[in-house]
């Protein structure tokens, strides 16, 4: 006799937790279980590179819901179990320990794994990723002795970690392969702003820098060798070069590719009763101008999970949320709305030097995204502009005396 649940959720992270919460909010009365590879109850990942790394927030405060919530809502937590295969015909999954768990509907919410470096030395101790609580606990335990830290990758996670560690008094170097930080996610003005801010705090930001390998002694990293032969000394190395979607069992079952699993606007895959949400869902997003995209954000994880709960409870509503994201570095709160990919013009609203401004991204005259730095009002008002693809005179957008509304 195998355990069987009406809804089985694989992945106890943001989207998995939200799927269960939304199903119960929608009065779903069937059985629900969440299988998760990590030992913890679902927790918020964003603080891992911010307040948790800085030891400003205890782990309890990261929990998405307190422990009793799951029992009260009748959600069974199957922790510390990794699903290794999915049988779509039999409607069951198998865990690493050989346990078989049946499902009526399967929601795949397994997120992604931190991408590892392909070069030698990537396995040395002192080389860290920032994806799980366990990753950050390992880092924190080494920080008492580490004085110099080299961060490989100038994306949001690497830069957030650099900001925290600099504030702790560490000597921090950031190595970025491209010609600017945040190149995948933001326009050039924002990249240059953050490079300048980090440099002003003493971070050594190196662009166009190719890592050859991690060097070490007695199994422990002590430096990063660059393509030109220079070795950047490091007591600790943090690798922040993106994620690989965790979808292998679904791929073996015939779904998707290494870059995620395609879903329709209700989160459904091409196999019956299998849904995919969160970081590993390759979806059509109208704010990405029609191309399939994977988004790695709490907004996307929560909203897709909610869309699936609506579909399962018989009131399907297509996914059409405006993407949003945030990042905290030093005293800078960045709030992003929309997707700037494909923009053909930008407008700076406010004075960049004042450290409170917004960059507004336009495509064919329409507002498609905003990056708002210490400018919460622009962010709130900007959302409506992005949703409506508002066309506003760039001179008005730049004028801080005119509120950002689509009616002007
Ligand atoms: P996750 O939250 O990663 O959850 C997936 C879970 O599935 C994990 O617990 C994993 O162990 C488990 N799992 C994987 N494979 C299996 C398997 N085979 N069997 C069982 N369990 C499995 N987003 C923002 O919007 N703003 C931010 O500021 C921000 N900061 C971030 C900082 C860091 C350090 C990180 C790592 C992410 C950050 N993000 C941020 C991104 C955001 O956290 C993710 O987009 C979100 O967590 C995705 O949710 P998810 O449910 O898809 O995946």
């Amino acid at each position: 006799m195998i355990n069987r649940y009406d809804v089985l959720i694989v992945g106890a992270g943001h989207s998995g937790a939200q799927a269960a919460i939304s199903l119960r909010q929608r009065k779903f009365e069937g059985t629900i279980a969440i299988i998760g590879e990590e030992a913890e109850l679902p927790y918020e990942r964003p603080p891992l590179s911010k307040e948790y790394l800085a030891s400003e927030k205890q782990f309890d405060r990261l929990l998405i819901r307190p422990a009793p919530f799951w029992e009260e809502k009748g959600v069974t937590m199957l922790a510390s179990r990794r699903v290794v295969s999915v049988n779509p015909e039999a409607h069951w999954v198998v865990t690493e320990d050989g346990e078989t768990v049946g499902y009526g509907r399967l929601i795949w919410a397994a997120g992604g794994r931190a991408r590892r470096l392909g070069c030698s030395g990537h396995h040395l101790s002192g080389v860290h990723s920032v994806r799980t609580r366990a990753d950050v606990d390992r880092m924190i335990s080494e920080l008492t002795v580490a004085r110099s830290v080299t961060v490989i990758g100038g994306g949001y996670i690497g830069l957030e970690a650099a900001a925290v560690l600099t504030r702790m008094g560490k000597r921090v170097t950031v190595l970025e392969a491209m010609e600017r930080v945040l190149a995948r996610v933001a326009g050039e003005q924002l990249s240059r702003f953050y490079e300048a801010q980090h440099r002003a705090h003493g971070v050594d930001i190196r662009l166009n820098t190719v890592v050859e390998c991690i060097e070490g002694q007695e199994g422990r990293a002590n430096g990063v060798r660059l393509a030109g032969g220079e070795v950047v000394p490091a007591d600790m190395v943090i690798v922040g070069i993106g994620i690989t979607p965790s979808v292998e069992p679904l791929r073996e079952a015939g779904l998707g590719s290494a870059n995620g699993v395609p879903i329709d606007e209700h989160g459904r895959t091409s196999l019956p009763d299998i849904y995919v949400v969160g970081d590993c869902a390759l979806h059509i997003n109208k704010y990405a101008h029609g191309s399939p995209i994977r988004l790695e954000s709490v907004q996307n994880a929560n909203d897709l999970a909610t869309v699936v709960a609506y579909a399962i409870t018989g009131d399907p509503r297509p996914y059409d949320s405006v993407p949003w994201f945030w990042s905290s570095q030093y005293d800078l709160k960045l709030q992003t709305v929309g997707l700037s990919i494909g923009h053909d013009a930008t407008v700076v609203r406010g004075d960049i030097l004042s450290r409170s401004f917004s960059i507004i991204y336009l495509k064919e005259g329409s507002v498609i995204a905003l990056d708002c730095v210490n400018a919460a009002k622009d962010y709130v008002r900007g959302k409506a502009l992005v949703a409506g693809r508002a066309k506003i005179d760039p001179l008005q957008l730049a004028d801080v005396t005119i509120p950002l509304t689509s009616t002007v």
Side-chain angles (χ1 to χ4, degrees):
M1 174 75 182
I2 61 167
N3 281 329
R4 181 193 173 281
Y5 298 89
D6 295 319
V7 171
L8 179 64
I9 299 167
V10 177
H14 276 275
S15 60
Q18 187 60 50
I21 293 167
S22 295
L23 280 166
R24 289 299 186 226
Q25 280 170 346
R26 303 267 320 129
K27 312 280 181 239
F28 178 79
E29 288 181 352
T31 52
I32 303 176
I34 303 183
I35 300 195
E37 187 178 7
E38 293 181 75
E40 288 83 7
L41 288 171
Y43 61 89
E44 291 174 21
R45 246 164 254 285
L48 293 180
S49 51
K50 309 176 181 78
E51 304 93 322
Y52 188 67
L53 177 60
S55 301
E56 289 166 3
K57 248 188 192 179
Q58 299 303 306
F59 182 73
D60 283 3
R61 290 184 53 209
L62 269 49
L63 290 176
I64 288 175
R65 289 289 187 278
F69 172 89
W70 303 106
E71 212 177 303
E72 279 161 24
K73 297 291 172 190
V75 176
T76 304
M77 286 290 173
L78 305 170
S80 305
R81 290 166 169 89
R82 189 159 79 92
V83 170
V84 291
S85 72
V86 175
N87 184 328
E89 288 82 36
H91 276 51
W92 71 46
V93 305
V94 181
T95 68
E96 204 164 29
D97 295 337
E99 191 183 349
T100 301
V101 186
Y103 63 82
R105 266 108 163 204
L106 179 69
I107 303 179
W108 190 265
R113 271 168 228 291
R115 196 175 292 141
R116 305 189 72 168
L117 288 171
C119 64
S120 66
H122 67 85
H123 61 284
L124 290 168
S125 73
V127 179
H128 300 271
S129 311
V130 195
R131 182 75 195 176
T132 64
R133 174 199 188 178
D135 291 338
V136 179
D137 284 349
R138 269 190 299 271
M139 283 171 59
I140 290 172
S141 72
E142 291 179 16
L143 280 171
T144 43
V145 287
R147 294 201 345 230
S148 57
V149 181
T150 295
V151 177
I152 300 178
Y156 282 121
I157 292 175
L159 292 182
E160 287 176 351
V164 169
L165 296 170
T166 300
R167 276 193 342 223
M168 283 181 183
K170 310 295 174 194
R171 204 167 57 246
V172 180
T173 305
V174 174
L175 306 176
E176 168 54 52
M178 301 183 77
E179 58 88 33
R180 60 186 175 92
V181 299
L182 302 175
R184 266 190 333 123
V185 286
E188 179 160 1
Q189 286 139 314
L190 198 80
S191 300
R192 299 302 177 212
F193 171 75
Y194 275 103
E195 287 161 8
Q197 290 300 314
H198 280 277
R199 286 182 173 136
H201 282 86
V203 179
D204 182 7
I205 300 258
R206 305 214 196 166
L207 307 172
N208 299 304
T209 302
V210 177
V211 169
E212 197 159 283
C213 65
I214 314 282
E215 302 223 314
Q217 214 175 8
E218 294 168 9
R220 193 167 178 86
N222 62 10
V224 179
R225 179 177 289 276
L226 309 181
E230 183 191 352
V231 178
V232 181
D235 302 322
M236 178 185 282
V237 178
I238 297 176
V239 182
I241 55 171
I243 62 161
T244 309
S246 295
V247 293
E248 296 81 4
L250 290 185
R251 285 187 72 191
E252 282 165 23
L255 285 176
S257 68
N259 189 36
V261 174
I263 53 167
D264 68 9
E265 74 269 33
H266 302 293
R268 293 178 296 218
T269 66
S270 55
L271 286 175
D273 302 323
I274 301 185
Y275 301 77
V276 175
V277 293
D279 283 7
C280 51
L282 195 55
H283 63 278
I284 301 288
N285 191 304
K286 73 176 186 195
Y287 298 96
H289 322 297
S291 332
I293 191 170
R294 276 193 319 98
L295 289 179
E296 295 166 14
S297 70
V298 169
Q299 169 278 316
N300 178 63
N302 287 342
D303 291 350
L304 258 181
T306 301
V307 157
V308 164
Y310 271 93
I312 288 177
T313 51
D315 181 14
R317 300 184 179 193
Y319 182 53
D320 67 352
S321 316
V322 181
W324 55 265
F325 187 84
W326 77 96
S327 172
S328 305
Q329 296 167 51
Y330 310 108
D331 58 346
L332 303 166
K333 169 107 179 162
L334 169 72
Q335 292 167 290
T336 288
V337 59
L339 299 172
S340 60
I341 328 157
H343 68 270
D344 53 28
T346 57
V347 174
V348 178
R349 179 178 166 85
D351 177 8
I352 292 185
L353 293 177
S354 75
R355 306 167 86 250
S356 167
F357 63 94
S358 298
I359 311 241
I360 303 172
Y361 298 89
L362 306 174
K363 187 177 162 84
E364 292 157 13
S366 297
V367 175
I368 59 165
L370 291 89
D371 281 329
C372 308
V373 176
N374 292 342
K377 276 189 185 156
D378 285 357
Y379 167 75
V380 172
R381 292 174 177 155
K383 219 170 201 171
L385 301 190
V386 172
R389 290 185 68 94
K391 281 190 193 274
I392 302 177
D393 179 351
L395 288 175
Q396 288 194 20
L397 287 174
D399 186 343
V400 289
T401 65
I402 305 175
L404 270 189
T405 56
S406 48
T407 48
V408 286

